[in-house]
């Protein structure tokens, strides 16, 4: 009954007088809502997708509603909770284990196709124990990763944040020494060899590494992490690898992180960052790439944007938030929150003008 009422509301908002457009749009939208869009975790209590879509369209001018509906039907990329969980489950067997095999092969001159020999080598187990896992945000899902590893990641090897205090660092090193001793690797001052940094999504890469040309200094999470690793005694500065694992990332973010992290690590004398992305999103996904005339007109309207979102955090991206942080202009939604790299029409917070179809809850609330 709720679906029928929502469909009738959508038909009234769109001004459909016969069944042809209803049959063209409603069944597909209801199917997508059932499998994906109803799962969006930031909808208000009792709110579902079709109702939200109708109310969102109603706030737009009549002449813009068809373009907005086409945007949702043809361009929207929605990552469900199940899909992100699947990517997390792939990380350990398909990426982390393979990197350890590669490192053992390089260190001991063993052909990479001799997987059995590599996996039985003592160094393969040693590297498993000497791996440290740090989550870079709530989306890292570190608990899911630990469970997906089939007990190959210990509790003292993984932490849900990248900022480690002295007490936590000391606890991790103590646990590492104990586990190494049990496995027959006696070391007086053990260090982690492999650092795995985990996050769910990057649209621009600025959060991880950026350069302030006026201050002539680097900022971002990677700068803080490298400095912390070298100060905290968690690594041997001469023998370590740092991997940034992103479950989903745009090509814009990949290029940005690779370029600026290479400059940062080379200038500071650190080991280079190794970036691994499970699901890359190519540049042609951006809505500014050859949009239709109606979509371009919709995106160009200032009235569908609230400049209050342009706080100090948004300005780091170098532009206003209408096309998203760093002008990424993405049509991307994650089930737990819409990234601010997407267009404002999708993520605008509910308490501002023209709230988005999938309203975002901001990490930084300055407006």
């Amino acid at each position: 009954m709720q679906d029928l009422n929502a469909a009738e509301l959508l038909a009234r908002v769109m001004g459909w007088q016969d069944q042809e457009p209803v049959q063209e749009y409603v069944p597909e939208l209801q199917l997508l809502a059932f499998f994906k869009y109803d799962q969006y975790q930031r909808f208000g209590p009792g709110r579902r997708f079709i109702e939200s879509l109708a109310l969102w369209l109603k706030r737009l001018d009549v002449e813009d509603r068809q373009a907005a509906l086409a945007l949702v039907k043809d361009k929207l990329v929605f990552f469900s909770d199940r899909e992100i969980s699947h990517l997390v489950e792939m990380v350990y067997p398909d990426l982390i284990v393979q990197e350890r095999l590669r490192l053992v092969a390089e260190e001991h001159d063993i052909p990479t196709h001799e997987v059995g020999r590599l996996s039985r080598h003592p160094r393969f187990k040693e590297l498993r124990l000497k791996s440290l896992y740090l989550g870079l945000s709530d989306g890292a899902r570190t608990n899911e990763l630990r469970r997906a590893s089939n007990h190959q990641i210990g509790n003292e090897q993984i932490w849900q944040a990248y900022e480690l205090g002295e007490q936590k660092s000391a606890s991790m090193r103590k646990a590492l020494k104990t586990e190494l001793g049990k496995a027959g690797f006696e070391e007086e001052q053990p260090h982690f060899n492999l650092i795995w940094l985990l996050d769910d999504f990057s649209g621009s890469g600025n959060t991880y590494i950026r350069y302030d040309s006026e201050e002539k200094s680097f900022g971002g999470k990677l700068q803080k992490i490298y400095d912390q690793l070298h100060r905290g005694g968690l690594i041997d500065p001469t023998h370590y690898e740092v991997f940034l694992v992103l479950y989903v990332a745009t090509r814009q973010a990949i290029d940005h992180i690779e370029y600026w992290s290479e400059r940062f690590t080379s200038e500071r004398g650190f080991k280079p960052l190794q970036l691994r992305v499970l699901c890359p999103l190519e540049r042609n996904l951006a809505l500014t790439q050859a949009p239709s005339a109606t979509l371009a007109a919709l995106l160009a309207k200032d009235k569908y944007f609230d400049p209050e979102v342009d706080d100090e955090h948004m300005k780091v991206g170098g532009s206003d938030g209408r096309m998203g942080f760093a002008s990424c202009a993405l049509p991307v939604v994650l089930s737990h929150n819409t990234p601010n790299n997407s267009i404002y029409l999708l993520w605008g917070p509910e308490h501002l003008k023209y709230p988005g179809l999938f309203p975002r809850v901001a990490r930084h609330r300055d407006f």
Side-chain angles (χ1 to χ4, degrees):
M1 181 63 67
Q2 185 176 7
D3 286 343
L4 289 174
N5 292 337
E8 290 177 3
L9 175 61
L10 179 61
R12 287 201 303 271
V13 168
M14 294 301 299
W16 294 331
Q17 302 299 319
D18 52 52
Q19 286 298 307
E20 184 176 347
V22 173
Q23 292 301 318
E24 178 184 354
Y25 287 98
V26 173
E28 182 177 346
L29 290 171
Q30 288 179 324
L31 184 66
L32 288 168
F34 178 78
F35 282 103
K36 285 196 171 188
Y37 302 159
D38 282 344
Q39 301 172 28
Y40 187 62
Q41 298 170 17
R42 303 303 177 186
F43 282 149
R47 182 75 62 83
R48 298 176 70 179
F49 171 71
I50 298 295
E51 177 189 359
S52 298
L53 174 63
L55 295 175
W56 178 69
L57 290 169
K58 189 176 181 180
R59 289 191 289 267
L60 305 179
D61 293 340
V62 173
E63 64 268 21
D64 294 324
R65 292 175 186 174
Q66 187 62 44
L69 186 61
L71 162 65
V72 174
K73 183 174 179 288
D74 301 330
K75 300 290 186 179
L76 186 64
V77 177
F78 187 102
F79 286 91
S80 68
D81 185 74
R82 182 181 300 176
E83 288 166 333
I84 296 296
S85 289
H86 177 67
L87 293 175
V88 176
E89 291 169 359
M90 292 171 56
V91 170
Y92 192 82
D94 294 353
L95 196 157
I96 293 174
V97 169
Q98 302 308 314
E99 291 292 347
R100 291 212 321 266
L101 290 170
R102 176 185 63 81
L103 288 169
V104 174
E106 292 176 355
E107 290 178 2
H108 298 276
D109 198 23
I110 300 174
T112 55
H113 66 272
E114 296 187 19
V115 177
R117 182 182 172 192
L118 291 169
S119 61
R120 291 190 297 269
H121 197 284
R123 180 60 171 162
F124 183 72
K125 183 175 184 179
E126 183 183 13
L127 285 174
R128 175 176 68 81
L129 297 173
K130 289 188 170 185
S131 292
L132 175 64
Y133 304 86
L134 302 176
L136 302 189
S137 74
D138 294 341
R141 304 192 185 209
T142 51
N143 285 336
E144 288 186 36
L145 175 66
R146 182 175 58 81
R147 291 192 293 269
S149 74
N150 195 24
H151 307 290
Q152 297 300 297
I153 299 176
N155 286 333
E156 288 297 326
Q157 289 179 267
I158 193 165
W159 191 240
Q160 66 270 24
Y162 63 91
E163 294 179 309
L164 295 171
E166 292 183 9
Q167 185 175 359
K168 184 60 182 178
S169 296
S171 173
M172 285 182 155
R173 290 191 62 191
K174 182 179 179 181
L176 175 60
K177 183 176 181 179
T178 300
E179 292 301 314
L180 287 172
K182 290 179 182 178
F185 304 105
E186 296 291 342
E187 290 188 30
E188 189 62 31
Q189 297 291 331
H191 299 89
F192 290 101
N193 287 155
L194 304 181
I195 311 299
W196 300 93
L197 310 176
L198 310 159
D199 213 348
D200 59 343
F201 176 82
S202 180
S204 68
N206 289 50
T207 300
Y208 303 98
I209 189 71
R210 56 184 177 271
Y211 183 72
D212 189 323
S213 57
E214 294 183 1
E215 299 290 335
K216 298 189 183 303
S217 63
F218 289 93
K221 294 180 179 180
L222 292 174
Q223 173 261 320
K224 295 177 182 177
I225 291 167
Y226 269 93
D227 287 344
Q228 179 179 263
L229 290 173
H230 282 261
R231 287 196 315 266
L234 287 168
I235 60 170
D236 176 353
T238 65
H239 192 69
Y240 69 95
E241 302 272 359
V242 179
F243 295 86
L244 173 58
V245 180
L246 299 175
Y247 309 145
V248 182
T250 66
R251 184 61 57 185
Q252 178 178 338
I254 294 170
D255 292 345
H256 176 94
I257 294 170
E258 288 182 338
Y259 176 79
W260 287 108
S261 67
E262 193 280 329
R263 282 194 54 178
F264 166 69
T265 54
S266 62
E267 289 183 16
R268 296 287 296 274
F270 296 148
K271 292 295 181 68
L273 177 78
Q274 301 194 51
L275 178 62
R276 302 290 185 268
V277 178
L278 275 76
C279 181
L281 304 177
E282 298 302 332
R283 291 183 180 274
N284 60 5
L285 183 66
L287 296 175
T288 49
Q289 298 292 313
S292 65
T294 54
L295 177 58
L298 173 67
L299 298 178
K301 285 198 173 181
D302 291 332
K303 66 180 296 183
Y304 301 143
F305 173 67
D306 193 330
E308 283 195 48
V309 301
D310 287 334
D311 57 15
E312 59 181 295
H313 306 290
M314 183 63 70
K315 291 177 181 177
V316 171
S319 61
D320 66 34
R322 185 176 52 177
M323 290 296 177
F325 185 86
S327 299
C328 291
L330 298 177
V332 173
V333 176
L334 307 180
S335 63
H336 69 281
N337 212 9
T338 306
N340 64 1
N341 306 99
S342 292
I343 58 172
Y344 178 84
L345 273 171
L346 290 178
W347 66 263
E350 285 188 308
H351 64 285
L352 298 183
K353 293 191 302 182
Y354 287 100
L357 176 58
F358 297 94
R360 170 181 170 81
V361 174
R363 293 176 183 171
H364 307 288
R365 181 70 176 272
D366 290 339
F367 44 83

